């Protein structure tokens, strides 16, 4: 196994030795594992001149991906020498925070996952968030596997991006393999790092006698084979979701998104070379050199990276705080992300969020199939399952068309939120029409009110009201509250009085309206 070697000299010399990889023993081994001799790389401050480029979009864009409507922050480019690096900046908080995800990233495709997008926007709620695609991956310049850069060039790239956005001092957040780059950056540029946050990071790539819980060479080789033969397929995406983030296992849309992310992040050959690079990493010698305040987080039953790796990492960084999180997911943004976000915000800002639940005004839409129980009995489970799949496809297509956000499905029912009541009403009408030729009818209820956002879920009395209104509607009908009627005045919608009704569990009587045009 090729590992970075370090002498026992003083810390500043020690980590420069690791970063420059100038010892003949190390240079030989690292060359065999894709990295080229350090003498061939540009030196910092000499040949790594940067030049800002024009943004690729005139502004933030809205894309449709995997059935989700996506608002993508502006993507810009800056050059490090001849290599163009893609980056994004969002938020206007008092601190700068740069987040380096794992090697598998694409600054456009990432936003297609509602969970990932929420995580990023939540980070931007208390910071100026800086994101980038590493060279060789995503939207940054691609290159052949033989030209993939050593770690110090990755750090050079980060410096160039930070300079381009005017960030002189930043908090650095790294997850999985990117945590090694972040740790090296903190040791190398202490004057530029206000704090270091690491999640699910291992300092060593392959198991050794003193690091026995890491992946073995056999496990790495099996992964290399899978990447070579099945990279970007739905089968591999499903397998990796189950391994990296079991909480999303069985989520078809995230499986399709992840397969697309694979294909748009790197080619099979490139990802194989990147994988081999990380399998041979060992940054333990430089960890005692880190002086920035450091938070290390790791989930107790991480399905991919043993928690002992996180404890070992924290023990080697002076003064590091270790937080053990409940859960099994390896990805920082997937499982119970609010707990992670609260820890990060408190650590980097010095204050705990006033509340973990956001309250916003939104319109909720409930739909379900009328007479579904009778249809199951008539069709049988097999045919009903096929019909339900077609129903779900059409509902999701209409949600995407009207900018609705799917919150949950339960059997044949959907809950979605909208930023405008007229869109929610028209979406309900469109869904009723879209499923009619399937021989089924839906009913829908719409209400506008204050809801509580809790992770990917929504709560509050407004949600209950929407559900109760839907239950009163007839086949192919959309019912709405008086609030919706008042807010859609002038929209061209026609609503007729359906009388006053008691809504189970909701105080008072409510005047409801039937949408007729």
């Amino acid at each position: 196994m090729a590992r970075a070697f370090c002498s026992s000299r003083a810390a500043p010399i020690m980590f420069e030795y690791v970063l420059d990889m100038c010892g003949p023993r190390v240079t030989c081994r690292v060359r065999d594992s894709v990295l080229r001799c350090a003498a061939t790389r540009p030196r910092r401050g000499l040949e790594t001149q940067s030049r800002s480029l024009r943004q690729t979009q005139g502004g933030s864009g809205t894309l449709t991906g995997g059935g989700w409507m996506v608002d993508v922050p502006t993507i810009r480019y800056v050059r490090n020498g001849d290599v163009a690096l893609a980056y994004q900046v969002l938020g206007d908080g008092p601190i700068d925070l740069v987040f380096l995800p794992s090697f598998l990233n694409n600054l456009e495709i990432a936003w297609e996952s509602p969970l990932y997008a929420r995580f990023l926007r939540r980070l931007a709620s208390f910071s100026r968030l800086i994101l980038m695609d590493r060279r060789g991956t995503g939207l940054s310049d691609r290159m052949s596997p033989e030209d993939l850069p050593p770690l110090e060039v990755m750090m050079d790239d980060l410096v160039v991006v930070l300079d381009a956005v005017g960030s002189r001092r930043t908090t650095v957040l790294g997850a999985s393999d990117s945590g090694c780059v972040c740790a090296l950056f903190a040791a190398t540029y202490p004057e530029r790092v206000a704090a270091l946050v690491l999640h699910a990071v291992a300092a060593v790539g392959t198991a050794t006698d003193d690091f026995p819980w890491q992946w073995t060479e056999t496990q790495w080789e099996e992964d290399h084979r899978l990447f070579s033969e099945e990279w970007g397929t739905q089968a591999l995406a499903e397998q990796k979701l189950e391994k990296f983030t079991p909480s999303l296992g069985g989520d078809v849309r995230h499986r399709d998104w992840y397969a697309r992310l694979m294909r748009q992040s790197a080619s099979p050959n490139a990802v194989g070379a990147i994988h081999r690079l990380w399998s041979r990493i060992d940054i333990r010698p430089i960890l005692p050199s880190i002086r920035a305040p450091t938070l290390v987080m790791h989930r107790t039953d991480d399905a991919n990276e043993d928690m002992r790796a996180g404890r070992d990492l924290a023990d080697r960084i002076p003064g590091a705080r270790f937080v053990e999180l409940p859960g099994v997911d390896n990805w920082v943004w997937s499982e119970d992300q609010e707990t992670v976000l609260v820890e990060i915000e408190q650590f980097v800002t010095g204050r705990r969020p006033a509340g973990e639940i956001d309250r916003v005004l939104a319109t909720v839409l409930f739909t379900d199939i009328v007479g579904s129980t009778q249809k199951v009995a008539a069709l049988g489970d097999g045919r009903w399952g096929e019909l339900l799949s077609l129903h779900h496809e059409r509902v999701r297509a209409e949600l995407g068309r009207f900018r609705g956000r799917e919150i949950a499905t339960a059997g044949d029912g959907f809950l979605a939120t909208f930023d405008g009541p007229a869109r929610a009403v028209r979406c309900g009408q469109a869904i009723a029409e879209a499923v009619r030729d399937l021989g089924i009818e839906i009913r829908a209820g719409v209400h506008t009110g204050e809801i509580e956002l809790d992770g990917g879920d929504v709560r509050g009395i407004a949600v209950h009201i929407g559900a109760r209104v839907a239950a009163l509607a007839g086949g192919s009908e959309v019912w709405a509250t008086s609030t919706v009627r008042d807010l859609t005045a002038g929209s061209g919608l026609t609503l007729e009085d359906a009388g006053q009704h008691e809504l189970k569990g909701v105080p008072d009587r409510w005047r409801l309206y039937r949408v007729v045009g």
Side-chain angles (χ1 to χ4, degrees):
M1 182 185 73
R3 300 205 312 257
F5 171 77
C6 179
S7 72
S8 60
R9 288 177 286 180
I13 298 174
M14 178 172 68
F15 67 72
E16 282 298 329
Y17 187 85
V18 172
L19 299 181
D20 287 343
M21 297 181 179
C22 55
R25 166 184 165 191
V26 175
T27 302
C28 177
R29 292 187 178 182
V30 173
R31 183 188 297 120
D32 291 342
S33 63
V34 176
L35 293 176
R36 295 191 294 177
C37 175
T40 66
R41 69 172 177 85
R43 293 292 298 168
R44 283 191 296 273
L46 296 179
E47 299 175 19
T48 55
Q49 298 173 342
S50 65
R51 180 167 62 88
S52 295
L53 303 180
R54 297 293 296 174
Q55 63 196 57
T56 59
Q57 299 167 278
S60 60
T62 301
L63 304 175
T64 303
W68 290 310
M69 296 299 292
V70 186
D71 289 324
V72 180
T74 299
I75 296 167
R76 300 178 184 272
Y77 281 89
V78 64
R79 288 192 187 276
N80 186 1
D82 294 329
V83 177
L85 305 167
Y87 70 92
Q88 292 171 317
V89 180
L90 62 153
D92 57 2
I95 64 168
D96 283 353
L97 171 62
V98 59
F99 171 44
L100 292 184
S102 71
F103 72 89
L104 191 61
N105 197 62
N106 180 297
L107 288 177
E108 280 189 331
I109 308 303
W111 291 93
E112 292 180 5
S113 163
L115 278 175
Y116 197 176
R118 180 191 181 277
F119 180 81
L120 296 177
R121 294 197 184 280
R122 179 73 168 76
L123 289 175
S125 70
F126 58 84
S127 72
R128 183 173 71 131
L129 180 63
I130 304 160
L131 308 168
M132 68 177 287
D133 278 341
R134 301 184 207 168
R135 68 166 63 197
T137 67
L139 299 180
S140 292
D141 274 350
R142 301 292 182 89
M143 51 199 64
S144 70
E146 291 77 16
D147 290 329
L148 289 173
L151 300 187
E152 61 267 36
V153 174
M154 295 185 195
M155 292 192 297
D156 287 339
D157 290 345
L158 180 54
V159 169
V160 167
V161 170
L162 293 177
D163 286 346
V165 302
S167 178
R168 303 306 304 167
R169 190 167 173 81
T170 184
T171 293
V172 183
L173 168 60
S176 189
D177 56 286
S178 75
C180 294
V181 179
C182 294
L184 290 170
F185 186 81
T188 310
Y189 297 97
E191 74 282 359
R192 301 199 68 162
V193 177
L196 174 64
V197 180
L198 304 172
H199 179 272
V201 176
V204 178
T206 303
T208 62
D209 290 341
D210 57 351
F211 208 90
W213 49 80
Q214 189 51 283
W215 285 24
T216 65
E217 292 188 2
T218 300
Q219 288 173 309
W220 278 109
E221 286 305 317
E222 173 60 17
D223 241 31
H224 297 330
R225 183 193 66 78
L226 285 173
F227 285 178
S228 175
E229 297 175 1
E230 299 186 41
W231 185 251
T233 64
Q234 290 186 341
L236 183 60
E238 185 170 3
Q239 178 181 337
K240 290 302 180 182
L241 274 184
E242 291 285 355
K243 181 176 181 61
F244 288 111
T245 177
S247 71
L248 294 179
D251 187 320
V252 174
R253 287 195 299 166
H254 266 100
R255 178 203 66 192
D256 294 345
W257 167 81
Y258 191 44
R260 176 168 156 77
L261 181 67
M262 286 182 181
R263 296 190 297 270
Q264 297 298 323
S265 296
S267 68
N269 286 344
V271 78
I274 295 170
H275 220 219
R276 283 187 165 83
L277 187 159
W278 294 109
S279 71
R280 289 163 169 78
I281 197 72
D282 187 345
I283 63 166
R284 289 179 293 181
I286 64 92
L287 295 177
S289 305
I290 296 174
R291 294 294 177 260
T294 301
L295 170 66
V296 178
M297 297 179 290
H298 214 110
R299 291 193 175 101
T300 304
D301 298 307
D302 188 313
N304 184 67
E305 200 73 76
D306 194 294
M307 191 185 68
R308 287 173 291 182
R311 287 193 180 278
D312 179 87
L313 186 77
D315 288 345
R316 295 174 185 273
I317 300 175
R321 176 178 173 232
F322 180 74
V323 174
E324 180 179 336
L325 302 167
V328 297
D329 284 7
N330 177 260
W331 291 351
V332 63
W333 54 266
S334 55
E335 182 182 18
D336 190 18
Q337 61 175 231
E338 191 60 29
T339 298
V340 176
L341 288 162
V342 168
E343 291 289 347
I344 295 173
E345 182 174 1
Q346 184 177 20
F347 185 75
V348 302
T349 67
R351 64 180 186 276
R352 197 168 186 85
E356 298 180 19
I357 298 177
D358 299 322
R359 300 179 66 87
V360 298
L361 184 70
T363 300
V364 297
L365 168 69
F366 274 90
T367 71
D368 69 354
I369 297 176
V370 177
S372 58
T373 303
Q374 292 85 348
K375 285 196 172 292
V376 175
L379 295 174
D381 290 341
R383 289 181 59 197
W384 171 250
E386 295 173 0
L387 183 63
L388 201 59
S389 294
L390 290 172
H391 164 268
H392 283 22
E393 288 179 7
R394 297 190 183 186
V395 171
R396 285 172 174 144
E398 299 305 326
L399 289 177
R401 188 157 72 98
F402 289 93
R403 290 168 47 185
R405 175 174 173 251
E406 179 185 333
I407 301 299
T409 59
D412 57 278
F414 272 79
L415 164 62
T417 60
F418 295 77
D419 56 9
R423 275 192 290 274
V425 171
R426 289 195 170 97
C427 185
Q429 292 176 300
I431 290 171
E433 185 63 31
V435 302
R436 197 187 305 275
D437 68 345
L438 298 177
I440 56 180
E441 289 186 300
I442 63 98
R443 56 188 174 189
V446 183
H447 176 60
T448 300
E450 191 175 64
I451 62 174
E452 299 174 347
L453 303 178
D454 186 9
D457 200 3
V458 298
R459 298 198 303 242
I461 190 66
V463 179
H464 293 287
I465 293 171
R468 302 299 181 227
V469 173
L472 292 171
S476 297
E477 288 186 344
V478 180
W479 281 34
T481 61
S482 58
T483 307
V484 173
R485 193 279 308 265
D486 295 342
L487 291 174
T488 56
S491 66
L493 292 170
T494 303
L495 291 83
E496 68 176 19
D497 193 339
Q500 288 191 335
H501 297 264
E502 289 186 359
L503 305 180
K504 184 178 179 181
V506 180
D508 304 323
R509 291 176 62 83
W510 287 70
R511 184 166 296 280
L512 304 180
Y513 294 84
R514 183 182 297 107
V515 182
V516 295

